[in-house]
Amino acid sequence: MSKLTTLRSHFGDLGIDAMLITSEFNRRFITGFTGSTGNAIVTKDGAVFLTDFRYTQQAKSQVKDFTIHEFKKSLVEETAEKLKELGATKIGFEKEHMSYGLYELYNKAVDGVLVPFSSTIENMRMIKTEDELSVLRKAAEIADQAFEHICTFIKPGMKEIDVSNELEFFMRKLGATSSSFDIIVASGERSALPHGVASEKVIEKGDFVTLDFGAYFNGYVSDITRTVAVGEPSEKLKEIYQIVLDAQEKSLREIKPGMNTAEADAIARDHIKSHGYGDAFGHSLGHGIGLEVHEGPGLSPRSSVILEPGMVITIEPGIYLEGIGGVRIEDDAIVTENGLERLTHSTKELRIL
């Protein structure tokens, strides 16, 4: 079933006869357009893509199954005109992606009723196609290679930001457009910060260094975390490392399709709790990745999405001890018919650099 056919199948439940897609990632998913300006309109029997002069030729080559319209006035005004031409009277809009100010402009311009909808396209995005999986595999491969490289680079006396910059440059050399997000390099006591973005701190002997990074490649992301030691770490750090590793490996073995995301989260969470560190694991076990580094499904105690083949998720338990340090280990994995297929393959045995 084509994306447009699937999208149209939701119109009845949403009570709409047209859909206006304005968000960057949903627009790219539905149309294939990689530029920065454009609106997609989908009706029951038509589809129009609006963009300006800068992107018209690009849209003609990238956007299939849509009529391309080059707008010359404002995007809002000409979108409203197209909706009227198409006979749209109940127009769905992405309520989580349209600002109130923009909503006011469309509400004034459109000759019809704007109907908010939520997560319809995001839910479609959760199941990856083979083409998407191919790109995600490459993004993961770049991250794996970057980890191997950075293990030869990190030295005592080096700043965290130097490590972050080297990771970024190396991934770009391998074909990445950029990193997937602001790279986390957190050393020593800062490794107890789950999102300790690289700082000016100097890495010292005995530090654990948490490296959380990924490659942005052809519009898709990878997301990997490894924790390494620079010099001999303390026994406490070794202890929590093994607990996190065992929890992560247990999750990779036991998560399977048909399981809901809260059950998946509980596999690692219960293991960490059983060793007395439940309060030190405060975030979810993982999340979906694809066009964005955080998308559905979320693997948390508060989530109840049923895992299905084709979803791509992260598995990233952690333990964080204030004043001591922390550990997180993360892989990307595809949900298959039988369980999980890892996309990231870097070693997870504790490396002492």
Side-chain angles (χ1 to χ4, degrees):
M1 186 180 293
S2 74
K3 291 176 182 177
L4 288 179
T5 301
T6 301
L7 202 58
R8 288 170 176 138
S9 71
H10 295 285
F11 279 21
D13 290 340
L14 295 173
I16 60 176
D17 55 27
M19 187 176 283
L20 172 61
I21 303 166
T22 57
S23 80
E24 174 189 356
F25 296 108
N26 287 342
R27 182 182 66 210
R28 177 166 183 161
F29 176 74
I30 293 296
T31 69
F33 179 69
T34 63
S36 63
T37 301
N39 280 348
I41 298 171
V42 180
T43 66
K44 291 179 179 179
D45 52 12
V48 176
F49 185 77
L50 297 92
T51 191
D52 64 27
F53 173 80
R54 297 169 298 166
Y55 294 111
T56 304
Q57 291 186 47
Q58 179 179 332
K60 287 177 179 177
S61 66
Q62 290 182 329
V63 181
K64 310 302 179 187
D65 302 319
F66 280 75
T67 300
I68 308 300
H69 174 78
E70 181 183 311
F71 69 88
K72 300 183 185 301
K73 294 178 282 188
S74 79
L75 180 56
V76 171
E77 186 178 354
E78 295 202 30
T79 296
E81 291 174 1
K82 278 296 171 187
L83 286 165
K84 186 172 183 179
E85 286 177 22
L86 293 165
T89 58
K90 296 179 180 178
I91 302 107
F93 73 96
E94 303 156 292
K95 70 178 184 180
E96 275 133 354
H97 301 291
M98 185 178 287
S99 69
Y100 185 69
L102 192 56
Y103 166 80
E104 287 185 315
L105 293 176
Y106 277 108
N107 196 40
K108 182 177 180 180
V110 168
D111 186 11
V113 178
L114 292 178
V115 180
F117 72 89
S118 175
S119 301
T120 302
I121 302 174
E122 286 85 350
N123 289 341
M124 291 172 60
R125 285 167 48 190
M126 283 198 284
I127 308 297
K128 270 54 179 184
T129 65
E130 284 303 320
D131 286 344
E132 288 178 301
L133 291 176
S134 177
V135 180
L136 285 162
R137 283 190 174 93
K138 180 62 179 177
E141 180 185 331
I142 292 172
D144 276 336
Q145 290 178 263
F147 175 66
E148 292 302 319
H149 169 73
I150 209 66
C151 286
T152 68
F153 180 83
I154 298 173
K155 299 288 188 298
M158 185 175 289
K159 293 180 180 179
E160 292 174 350
I161 194 68
D162 295 331
V163 175
S164 172
N165 289 339
E166 182 67 18
L167 277 168
E168 175 92 25
F169 296 151
F170 189 82
M171 289 190 292
R172 286 175 181 261
K173 286 179 183 178
L174 294 179
T177 304
S178 65
S179 56
S180 302
F181 49 89
D182 287 342
I183 293 172
I184 292 169
V185 180
S187 63
E189 292 184 8
R190 289 191 77 253
S191 62
L193 300 173
H195 278 187
V197 174
S199 74
E200 294 288 323
K201 180 191 174 298
V202 172
I203 296 170
E204 302 174 41
K205 283 187 177 180
D207 280 356
F208 258 11
V209 183
T210 298
L211 306 162
D212 187 348
F213 61 98
Y216 183 59
F217 177 77
N218 283 3
Y220 287 79
V221 304
S222 55
D223 184 4
I224 182 174
T225 306
R226 294 290 185 266
T227 301
V228 299
V230 178
E232 191 67 26
S234 69
E235 291 303 312
K236 173 63 74 173
L237 291 174
K238 288 181 181 178
E239 175 196 356
I240 64 172
Y241 189 95
Q242 192 61 49
I243 294 168
V244 171
L245 177 58
D246 291 344
Q248 206 251 2
E249 293 283 8
K250 183 175 173 65
S251 299
L252 288 167
R253 288 193 305 270
E254 297 183 11
I255 291 174
K256 57 185 182 294
M259 179 181 286
N260 75 46
T261 45
E263 293 171 330
D265 175 273
I267 294 170
R269 195 167 303 281
D270 289 349
H271 180 84
I272 291 172
K273 280 182 182 178
S274 73
H275 286 80
Y277 291 102
D279 291 341
F281 178 26
H283 57 72
S284 64
L285 177 62
H287 53 84
I289 60 169
L291 290 167
E292 296 181 86
V293 76
H294 288 97
E295 55 183 52
L299 280 65
S300 84
R302 299 169 298 283
S303 177
S304 58
V305 176
I306 301 300
L307 294 173
E308 299 179 48
M311 292 178 172
V312 179
I313 57 177
T314 68
I315 305 297
E316 50 179 304
I319 293 175
Y320 311 92
L321 305 178
E322 186 177 353
I324 297 174
V327 175
R328 183 167 63 256
I329 302 171
E330 174 185 23
D331 283 310
D332 302 338
I334 306 168
V335 180
T336 69
E337 297 290 343
N338 302 311
L340 295 181
E341 174 196 336
R342 278 175 61 191
L343 292 177
T344 42
H345 300 285
S346 301
T347 181
K348 291 178 285 188
E349 293 304 314
L350 177 57
R351 283 194 170 181
I352 300 177
L353 308 179

